[in-house]
Amino acid sequence: MPQSMRSRTDGQGSPETRLRRSFRAGAALACCGALFVGPGCRGAPVPELDETPEPEVVAAELGPSDGVSPTQTLRVRFNQALDPGTVTADSVALVAHTAGAACAGAWSCGEASCVGGSCQPRELDAGWISDFAHPPLSAKRGAERALVRTRLEEEGRVLAVDPLRPLPSHRRFSLLLGPGITDRRGRRLPRRTPSGLALIRTFVTGGADLARPTVELVAPRRGQAEVPTNLARVAVLFSRPVRGVAEGSLWLEDDHGGRHAAAVEASDQACGNVGPSRCWLLRPRRTLPPNGSVRVVASEIITDDRGLPVLTGEVQWFATGAGKDGRSPTVLALLAQHADDCVLVKVWSDEPVDVELAVGGRKGRLVSLAKAEHEFAVGLPQGTEAFVLAQASDAAGNLAEPQLRWVRGESPERVAITEVMPNPAGREPDQEWVELTNLSSDPVDLAGWTIDDGDDGVGAVQLPGVRLAPGQVAVLVGPGFELPSSPASWIASGAALVRLSGTIGAHGIGNRGERLVLRDQAGRLVSTYGGHQVLEGAGAEGRSVERVPATSCDLRESWRLSGSGHGTPGRAPTTPGALP
């Protein structure tokens, strides 16, 4: 036998053997007179040695380093099972880092990093971490966390964190595990950070194109109360086109778990003309239970074109009232006018309704659901006498059918309001301006035309005798307007700068969304801007709103924010910014 082996077995044997003998001797003494047999006392059990290691984080699986999906399930793997009772909102948090000033590269952010065009700190705010290490969090801190669901997988060894709604794109986040998490023996995770937390992992989200599709209630609205039990339709909107939608994959469920059958159909325009395969209607086959909550359930059978299943985390629900609704809605007003070579029809009601329009035998499209104010644009030949019929139905399917006799007169010259600057970077109202474009094939003389901030004539200002060639643009400014030091960089070549004798409107153009009307010398309405955009607050100064395309009717969907910091007077629109 080698000397090394003898040294381990001479005398009392190996250290392991000596430990077992010592344990048996100690156990015999512990029997206090009872018989020691085998591994313990007869009638007096001896506790076993706890050889289970301390709880420890093995790995954090957060997704690809070049951009985590905004709907990615985040997983943290442990060396043993956790106590589910300790995995709470006080012990797990997902927090976005502050998005600061705009940046074009890392060099412009100092110690922070440039992510998605904004400077974001590499580490989460130290005050936030300190607060999380000493629970409970304040209401303010709690509201700053991302909305997530936590669950345990693989017999408790894996903590899964699911975002209930997509995280903001191109943002730096930190996943925090607090000191309150324990294993099933009550042993805490070791504190691995100076702040006393068990884990801090930071990652960056990718673009929205990486996210799973989401579903949102449109009508009734999420959280809406007193919905009639004889509900005629439920409209849901997916964040992108989806497939696999059927009665078995999209349904209604009450707060007792009862499933309510509903016919399912696509409606390209019911949610605001969002395009095919995004808006879907559920038509309940029977009355819903009173005084309860009802949620829309979307199965993961529903996927987008990439095969990603719908995100089902956030509950989309509404609450029913005491019973049925049998009263027809009241249409408060039905108006029609001709502007921008379109027939604009507006409908106001005393409750949210769906509206289908017919003008002169031509069907209008269903613009949106569950609104009390609707607007439509319908083409109609000149001099046509027609009836405008609006079929309005409320949530329970009750109908009202007002009609209006209307005659479209002779069409004036085709000149459109194509851009508006209500909130300039300089003084108001001096630096405000409005762009007009001659869309007709003939020159147009603007002498005697008027522009007004409304339709009551108060504040109307007359345009001077300026002749616009076909396709030419005029930029209207007030008497106090000051050109920049380099006018050529501000207004496009060939555009006419037209100075008015007074401000545009009684007190200038309101930033909160003010209507503008353009009339010709005969007083006929030529073009309108419906005040579709509120331009005030941070980031709004110097932004204009543009009609795209210039020939479109004056509907909200026709206008967008300019991508330039000073508008695009006399130029084609730049990169668009969607209207909220």
Side-chain angles (χ1 to χ4, degrees):
M1 178 182 296
Q3 180 65 30
S4 60
M5 292 294 292
R6 287 198 300 271
S7 65
R8 293 179 58 190
T9 57
D10 286 346
Q12 298 298 318
S14 69
E16 292 85 353
T17 302
R18 291 196 300 271
L19 177 62
R20 284 195 296 270
R21 289 175 179 172
S22 174
F23 174 72
R24 290 170 60 89
L29 291 174
C31 288
C32 299
L35 179 63
F36 179 76
V37 179
C41 302
R42 180 174 296 170
V46 176
E48 296 182 1
L49 282 176
D50 185 0
E51 298 179 353
T52 308
E54 295 294 318
E56 188 74 70
V57 173
V58 175
E61 303 165 1
L62 306 183
S65 58
D66 58 346
V68 174
S69 165
T71 54
Q72 173 79 39
T73 295
L74 312 173
R75 289 182 169 87
V76 181
R77 189 172 296 275
F78 299 85
N79 63 343
Q80 58 184 282
L82 300 182
D83 177 1
T86 64
V87 180
T88 68
D90 284 332
S91 60
V92 181
L94 184 59
V95 189
H97 294 205
T98 304
C103 60
W107 57 269
S108 61
C109 292
E111 295 184 358
S113 57
C114 184
V115 179
S118 67
C119 293
Q120 300 178 30
R122 300 178 188 276
E123 306 295 336
L124 186 63
D125 174 63
W128 220 109
I129 295 175
S130 175
D131 289 348
F132 188 69
H134 301 86
L137 289 175
S138 66
K140 177 179 180 299
R141 289 295 197 201
E144 293 171 353
R145 297 180 305 186
L147 187 61
V148 299
R149 175 184 59 200
T150 57
R151 52 194 172 86
L152 293 176
E153 300 176 337
E154 299 184 21
E155 299 181 345
R157 293 175 180 268
V158 174
L159 169 64
V161 181
D162 300 307
L164 295 184
R165 62 173 68 124
L167 303 175
S169 299
H170 305 299
R171 288 290 295 275
R172 191 177 293 277
F173 277 83
S174 283
L175 175 64
L176 311 179
L177 299 188
I181 298 178
T182 71
D183 65 9
R184 291 180 180 175
R185 296 171 181 263
R187 296 175 300 181
R188 294 179 180 271
L189 290 173
R191 302 187 178 193
R192 297 300 190 191
T193 68
S195 59
L197 299 186
L199 177 77
I200 302 177
R201 286 291 186 273
T202 299
F203 63 92
V204 175
T205 55
D209 58 313
L210 299 177
R212 294 164 60 182
T214 58
V215 62
E216 177 187 0
L217 260 174
V218 175
R221 301 180 308 278
R222 182 162 64 97
Q224 183 175 332
E226 299 298 323
V227 174
T229 57
N230 57 334
L231 187 64
R233 82 299 179 257
V234 175
V236 296
L237 176 66
F238 289 90
S239 58
R240 61 168 59 97
V242 292
R243 57 192 179 187
V245 182
E247 192 165 323
S249 62
L250 188 65
W251 67 89
L252 301 175
E253 190 174 279
D254 63 34
D255 48 6
H256 299 293
R259 182 182 292 200
H260 296 266
V264 178
E265 62 187 65
S267 178
D268 294 350
Q269 299 166 341
C271 302
N273 197 31
V274 294
S277 300
R278 288 190 58 198
C279 185
W280 295 79
L281 296 180
L282 292 88
R283 300 192 182 278
R285 299 187 184 278
R286 58 187 175 89
T287 301
L288 299 175
N291 301 318
S293 62
V294 178
R295 68 189 185 109
V296 173
V297 182
S299 165
E300 290 192 352
I301 296 172
I302 301 173
T303 65
D304 63 12
D305 291 339
R306 300 166 300 170
L308 292 178
V310 65
L311 184 68
T312 59
E314 189 173 19
V315 177
Q316 301 284 321
W317 66 275
F318 58 88
T320 55
K324 298 181 178 181
D325 176 12
R327 184 185 73 86
S328 296
T330 300
V331 174
L332 304 174
L334 174 62
L335 303 175
Q337 67 177 23
H338 173 231
D340 295 300
D341 212 23
C342 304
V343 178
L344 293 178
V345 180
K346 294 192 176 184
V347 182
W348 288 269
S349 57
D350 67 338
E351 63 175 304
V353 293
D354 311 337
V355 175
E356 189 170 320
L357 192 72
V359 180
R362 301 182 61 182
K363 279 269 184 143
R365 57 191 176 86
L366 186 65
V367 172
S368 57
L369 288 167
K371 289 186 177 181
E373 179 179 341
H374 294 261
E375 60 178 6
F376 302 82
V378 181
L380 203 64
Q382 293 186 33
T384 301
E385 178 177 336
F387 284 99
V388 177
L389 175 64
Q391 186 180 80
S393 59
D394 63 14
N398 302 309
L399 288 178
E401 297 185 310
Q403 59 184 10
L404 172 71
R405 181 177 178 274
W406 182 78
V407 179
R408 173 181 169 179
E410 181 184 355
S411 179
E413 290 88 346
R414 185 75 167 97
V415 177
I417 299 172
T418 48
E419 189 171 1
V420 180
M421 174 63 82
N423 188 2
R427 297 190 311 273
E428 293 188 67
D430 290 347
Q431 297 303 111
E432 296 173 351
W433 51 266
V434 173
E435 177 189 271
L436 307 179
T437 303
N438 181 11
L439 300 175
S440 64
S441 56
D442 298 313
V444 175
D445 189 353
L446 300 180
W449 288 39
T450 60
I451 189 166
D452 191 6
D453 59 345
D455 210 10
D456 55 4
V458 178
V461 60
Q462 197 169 88
L463 276 61
V466 175
R467 188 175 178 85
L468 287 184
Q472 189 179 10
V473 172
V475 180
L476 311 183
V477 299
F481 183 83
E482 294 182 2
L483 275 170
S485 56
S486 177
S489 66
W490 177 77
I491 189 170
S493 175
L497 183 67
V498 180
R499 286 193 180 271
L500 306 177
S501 59
T503 59
I504 303 171
H507 304 288
I509 309 169
N511 297 342
R512 293 197 58 79
E514 187 167 29
R515 187 168 184 259
L516 293 175
V517 296
L518 178 70
R519 293 185 178 274
D520 66 10
Q521 66 274 15
R524 296 175 299 185
L525 192 60
V526 178
S527 182
T528 61
Y529 163 60
H532 302 291
Q533 174 64 30
V534 175
L535 286 167
E536 63 179 11
E541 191 175 84
R543 301 285 297 277
S544 65
V545 61
E546 304 166 313
R547 188 193 301 252
V548 182
T551 55
S552 60
C553 300
D554 180 22
L555 297 172
R556 180 180 179 83
E557 64 201 49
S558 304
W559 296 87
R560 69 185 185 187
L561 291 174
S562 68
S564 168
H566 53 72
T568 59
R571 295 178 175 84
T574 57
T575 304
L579 296 183

